Amino acid sequence: MQLSTTKRQRERHLPPNNTKNNATTSNSSAHACSYSSNNNSSVSSITKLYSSRVPLLLLLVLLLACSSHGYNIDLPSYVTHVREPNTMFGFSIALHKGASGYAQSNSLIVGAPKFDTSSYQQGVVEAGAVFKCGMSDGDCNLVKFDSSGNHRNTYGDVIERKSYQWLGATVSTSRDNDLIVACAPRYVFHTMTPNKSLRYDPVGTCFTSRNLTHFNEVSPCRTNNWGYHRQGSCQAGFSAAASTRGDRLYIGAPGSWYWQGQTYSYDVTRPENQVYSTAESSSQDDDSYLGYSMTTGNFNDDRFEDIAIGMPRGAGLLGKVVVNHWNMTNIFNFTGHQIGEYFGYALAACDVDGNGLDDLIIGAPMYSEPGNVEGKYDVGRV
C-alpha cells in the first residue's frame, strides 16, 4: 500500500520534496559510516531486486547488437574457463584492456559472487570473488579485491557482514583504460548503539583497481542516512560503469528512498573531489529502481561522455531510461511503451550505424506481443 505523503515525511524526518530528476552534490567527507536500520528491511530489500533478474540471454543480444556485420565464431580455437562448482562463476563478465594497450595484455574479468572466501577472509564465508582470465584454457587467477574480515568499532562490536555479500555480482571496466570495478551489492553494514540494539542495512559496496595489487573501496550509502526510507537499503553496486578514460566511476543504488533508486558519480583520479548524485524525488517514483542498469557513451554529440541509467519500474511501470551528464544533471529521458515490460532492464552503448556517435541500446525483457493468441508472453525486445 502506498504511504501517504504526510506519513512518509514524518517517517523520514524530512520536509516535502517534489523535485524530480534533479542532481545534488555532496563532499566525499560526508560519506562517513552510518549507524543503520532494522533487520527486516535488509532481508526484504536483498531479495526484492534480485528476484526480478531474468536470463542472461538478453545480455548476449545487446553485445551482438554492437556489430553491424555478421561473423563466424572460430570453433577450433575457443577458450574455456571453469572454476569451482556452485560459485556462480560467470555471473558477470567484462573485457579488460591492460595499461600497455597491446592485445597480449587483454583479459577477461569474471565475477563469481558465491565463491567461498573463508580461506583468506577470517570469519567470512561465500563473500564472492573476481577472477582475471587469459586467452588460454584454464588461465584464471583469483584477484583478492578484499582480503580482510569483518571490521569492528571502538567498542569491539562487529559493524559489517561480508558473508554472502555477492562480490563480483557486478564487474565493469573502462574502454580505453585499465580501470576495473567490482561490486558487492548485498554487503551489509551495521553497528551496535550504546543500548546494544542491532541495526542492519544492505548498503552495498564497490572496489576499484588499476594494477590488481592496490584496491580502493567506495561505499556511497554507508552514511548516517540509515533505513529503507533513506539510503539504508540502497544496495550500491547493483550496477556500475567506468568512463572510457577511466577517470570517473558511476555506481547504481536502486534501493534508496523506498526503492526510488539513486546514482553516484565519483572522480577516481581525485577521490577528495566533489561527489555527485541524483536527488530524492516525490513519492510517485517509489519502487522505480533508478540505477538498476547503466552504461556510458556520448549520446548528445557534445564531445563529453554521458551516463545512461535504467529505471525499469519508473514512469508508472512503463519503464524509463535517464540520460545524465557526468555531474548528474539531466539531458533527456526515454520512456517505455508497455506496462510491465521492464524497459531499461539492460543497457549497452556503441556506434551501431557508424556515424561516429554512440547509440543507446535498451532491453525490455518482459515485453509481450499485443494480440498474441498463442499464449506467448514476456517475449522481450531490444
Side-chain angles (χ1 to χ4, degrees):
M1 179 178 294
Q2 177 68 55
L3 294 175
S4 67
T5 302
T6 302
K7 183 176 180 181
R8 284 168 48 85
Q9 300 302 336
R10 183 168 61 250
E11 184 173 356
R12 300 181 193 195
H13 306 291
L14 294 173
N17 180 3
N18 294 322
T19 304
K20 188 174 183 180
N21 291 330
N22 290 334
T24 59
T25 62
S26 62
N27 293 324
S28 58
S29 60
H31 294 267
C33 292
S34 68
Y35 299 90
S36 307
S37 72
N38 62 71
N39 191 29
N40 291 333
S41 65
S42 69
V43 175
S44 62
S45 64
I46 284 174
T47 58
K48 186 173 185 180
L49 295 179
Y50 277 94
S51 63
S52 58
R53 289 281 193 181
V54 298
L56 293 178
L57 178 60
L58 179 62
L59 176 60
L60 178 60
V61 172
L62 293 180
L63 292 175
L64 293 179
C66 289
S67 174
S68 58
H69 303 283
Y71 64 92
N72 294 322
I73 297 176
D74 185 6
L75 293 180
S77 303
Y78 70 87
V79 176
T80 302
H81 296 297
V82 179
R83 294 296 304 190
E84 294 81 355
N86 302 318
T87 62
M88 298 184 73
F89 175 81
F91 185 87
S92 60
I93 55 174
L95 292 174
H96 175 237
K97 180 183 293 186
S100 65
Y102 294 107
Q104 59 265 29
S105 67
N106 292 345
S107 58
L108 191 66
I109 304 301
V110 184
K114 295 190 68 176
F115 184 84
D116 186 11
T117 59
S118 58
S119 62
Y120 60 89
Q121 283 187 290
Q122 184 177 5
V124 177
V125 296
E126 287 191 22
V130 177
F131 293 83
K132 180 182 178 182
C133 301
M135 297 298 110
S136 58
D137 287 351
D139 180 19
C140 276
N141 296 308
L142 173 66
V143 180
K144 297 179 181 179
F145 274 79
D146 182 17
S147 300
S148 62
N150 295 319
H151 291 92
R152 297 176 179 269
N153 60 16
T154 55
Y155 300 101
D157 303 317
V158 175
I159 60 172
E160 61 186 354
R161 187 173 67 212
K162 296 182 179 181
S163 295
Y164 315 111
Q165 66 178 356
W166 278 43
L167 176 63
T170 301
V171 296
S172 182
T173 60
S174 55
R175 299 184 194 177
D176 300 329
N177 202 279
D178 56 352
L179 179 66
I180 300 175
V181 182
C183 298
R186 295 179 60 167
Y187 162 83
V188 173
F189 178 80
H190 64 88
T191 188
M192 288 185 178
T193 61
N195 63 0
K196 301 297 182 183
S197 175
L198 280 173
R199 286 175 172 169
Y200 296 84
D201 274 335
V203 298
T205 191
C206 293
F207 295 86
T208 63
S209 181
R210 294 189 185 276
N211 53 17
L212 296 181
T213 57
H214 294 86
F215 306 95
N216 298 305
E217 185 176 8
V218 182
S219 187
C221 296
R222 198 163 55 191
T223 69
N224 289 326
N225 295 324
W226 53 266
Y228 59 86
H229 56 298
R230 290 182 288 191
Q231 294 169 305
S233 297
C234 79
Q235 292 183 249
F238 195 89
S239 67
S243 63
T244 298
R245 297 183 301 176
D247 59 348
R248 188 156 290 275
L249 168 65
Y250 302 97
I251 297 177
S256 289
W257 298 310
Y258 290 100
W259 295 275
Q260 287 184 12
Q262 189 175 18
T263 302
Y264 291 86
S265 173
Y266 284 87
D267 186 342
V268 180
T269 59
R270 295 183 177 180
E272 70 277 8
N273 281 357
Q274 194 172 43
V275 177
Y276 297 87
S277 64
T278 53
E280 181 181 12
S281 185
S282 62
S283 60
Q284 66 182 3
D285 283 331
D286 288 359
D287 298 303
S288 291
Y289 297 173
L290 177 68
Y292 196 95
S293 59
M294 58 176 56
T295 190
T296 59
N298 180 8
F299 303 118
N300 62 344
D301 194 20
D302 63 353
R303 298 185 301 170
F304 295 99
E305 198 168 53
D306 312 308
I307 178 72
I309 311 161
M311 194 176 181
R313 289 173 55 89
L317 296 181
L318 289 173
K320 185 177 180 180
V321 174
V322 177
V323 180
N324 288 349
H325 291 293
W326 61 271
N327 61 0
M328 292 296 108
T329 55
N330 186 243
I331 304 174
F332 48 76
N333 304 321
F334 297 102
T335 302
H337 300 284
Q338 186 180 91
I339 290 179
E341 67 176 343
Y342 244 65
F343 180 83
Y345 166 87
L347 301 175
C350 62
D351 184 7
V352 176
D353 53 12
N355 66 351
L357 298 178
D358 288 320
D359 298 296
L360 180 59
I361 306 167
I362 304 172
M366 309 298 285
Y367 171 80
S368 295
E369 294 180 352
N372 188 300
V373 296
E374 299 179 358
K376 296 180 180 179
Y377 303 99
D378 300 339
V379 296
R381 67 175 177 177
V382 176

